[in-house]
């Protein structure tokens, strides 16, 4: 059973481009969470999704950021028109329904130049 | 807002010594978890303690939870150089939304 898979591991984007981050949860996990980590900081919650539903997006910036978890395929975190302040590590976590313990991926390190 | 606040922010010890890290939180919780993060890597789950538990052990790890003081401690006994990492506590409020709220973390350095 592979762990939570995130790709790419590293992503470089120029200001104004779009960044698309992918997360494949562990097999059998229907809940996906996205977190952002700035340098020397803890993780900050962004969004919580279940298949085809956004459950909680209270941590998502109001503009440029969106997330989805389709019926088939990975969860996608999309950042449009990236700015330097979006540079961070983005982590995805998954859990089975009804469970609190979340399993984290290795993260995608986004650098905006 | 920050829920978990760990202290100290940084800890440096000699291999073989014990390391104690503390975490305080503000609101009521369902579970508290500790994670480890090696530099530039993802988070590894260490241990989960439920709000109705007071102490839990896992190998060289011992976690305590005091809900009256809204605090938890993580003890690593007989530390090793490989324990060098950042350690985070994370809480969840339970219910339908099990999102985690993390502290800023503690940087542990174990000198060989």
């Amino acid at each position: 059973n592979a762990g939570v898979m995130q790709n790419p591991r590293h992503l470089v984007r120029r200001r104004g481009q779009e960044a698309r981050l992918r997360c494949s949860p562990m097999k059998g996990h229907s809940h996906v969470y996205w977190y952002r980590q700035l340098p020397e900081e803890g993780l900050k919650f962004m969004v919580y999704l279940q298949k085809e539903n956004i459950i909680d997006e209270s941590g998502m910036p109001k503009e440029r950021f969106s997330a989805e978890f389709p019926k088939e395929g990975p969860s996608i975190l999309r950042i449009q028109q990236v700015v330097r302040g979006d540079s961070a590590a983005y982590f995805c976590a998954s859990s089975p329904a009804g469970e609190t313990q979340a399993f984290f991926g290795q993260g995608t390190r986004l650098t905006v130049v | 807002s920050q829920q978990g606040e760990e202290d100290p922010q940084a800890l440096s010890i000699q291999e073989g010594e014990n390391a104690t890290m503390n975490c305080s939180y503000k609101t009521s919780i369902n579970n508290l978890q500790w994670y480890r993060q090696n530099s530039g890597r993802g988070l590894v789950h260490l241990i989960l303690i439920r709000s109705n538990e007071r102490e839990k052990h896992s190998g060289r790890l011992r976690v305590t939870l005091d809900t009256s003081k809204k605090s938890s401690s993580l003890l690593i006994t007989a530390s090793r150089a490989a324990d060098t990492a950042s350690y985070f506590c994370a809480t969840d409020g339970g219910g339908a939304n099990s999102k985690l709220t993390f502290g800023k973390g503690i940087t542990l350095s174990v000198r060989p």
Side-chain angles (χ1 to χ4, degrees):
Chain A
N1 186 5
V4 177
M5 304 300 292
Q6 289 189 248
N7 68 81
R9 290 290 307 277
H10 300 274
L11 182 62
V12 179
R13 284 286 177 267
R14 295 186 184 280
R15 280 179 294 171
Q17 290 185 320
E18 178 178 286
R20 192 171 293 201
L21 289 62
R22 293 176 183 78
C23 169
S24 295
M26 287 181 69
K27 188 177 180 181
H29 288 193
S30 57
H31 295 203
V32 165
Y33 305 81
W34 285 93
Y35 293 85
R36 177 165 62 177
Q37 185 179 34
L38 295 171
E40 310 301 324
E41 295 276 330
L43 277 70
K44 296 287 196 297
F45 168 77
M46 299 182 74
V47 63
Y48 164 36
L49 309 109
Q50 295 176 17
K51 286 282 187 183
E52 299 184 281
N53 284 307
I54 296 175
I55 307 302
D56 181 350
E57 55 181 347
S58 58
M60 288 278 271
K62 293 287 186 283
E63 298 176 347
R64 303 187 297 108
F65 285 70
S66 63
E68 62 177 11
F69 188 17
K71 188 177 179 181
E72 301 291 337
S75 175
I76 306 286
L77 178 68
R78 185 180 291 109
I79 311 172
Q80 296 177 304
Q81 298 175 320
V82 296
V83 300
R84 289 236 170 96
D86 297 332
S87 295
Y90 292 82
F91 290 94
C92 169
S94 73
S95 67
E99 292 286 330
T100 296
Q101 183 178 334
F103 295 82
F104 281 80
Q106 291 294 306
T108 294
R109 277 148 188 87
L110 172 66
T111 303
V112 179
V113 297
Chain B
S1 62
Q2 205 76 31
Q3 165 76 318
E5 294 285 344
E6 296 98 339
D7 79 86
Q9 289 188 326
L11 182 61
S12 181
I13 60 174
Q14 200 73 34
E15 202 165 28
E17 293 180 338
N18 296 340
T20 300
M21 292 167 271
N22 302 300
C23 165
S24 60
Y25 55 92
K26 297 186 178 82
T27 60
S28 61
I29 64 167
N30 189 42
N31 303 292
L32 186 143
Q33 304 180 57
W34 284 90
Y35 286 85
R36 184 185 74 221
Q37 183 180 37
N38 289 87
S39 181
R41 305 296 297 272
L43 273 74
V44 174
H45 184 267
L46 295 176
I47 198 164
L48 179 152
I49 187 165
R50 302 188 189 282
S51 59
N52 61 355
E53 297 176 313
R54 292 295 166 258
E55 188 171 314
K56 206 160 181 181
H57 296 255
S58 176
R60 292 185 297 114
L61 305 180
R62 172 177 168 253
V63 168
T64 62
L65 179 64
D66 187 336
T67 52
S68 66
K69 294 181 180 177
K70 292 187 168 58
S71 67
S72 171
S73 68
L74 171 67
L75 169 66
I76 303 174
T77 60
S79 63
R80 305 166 182 169
D83 294 328
T84 295
S86 293
Y87 291 81
F88 296 89
C89 70
T91 58
D92 74 87
N97 189 339
S98 49
K99 69 183 181 188
L100 296 174
T101 304
F102 285 83
K104 288 189 176 182
I106 299 169
T107 301
L108 174 65
S109 298
V110 181
R111 303 185 301 274

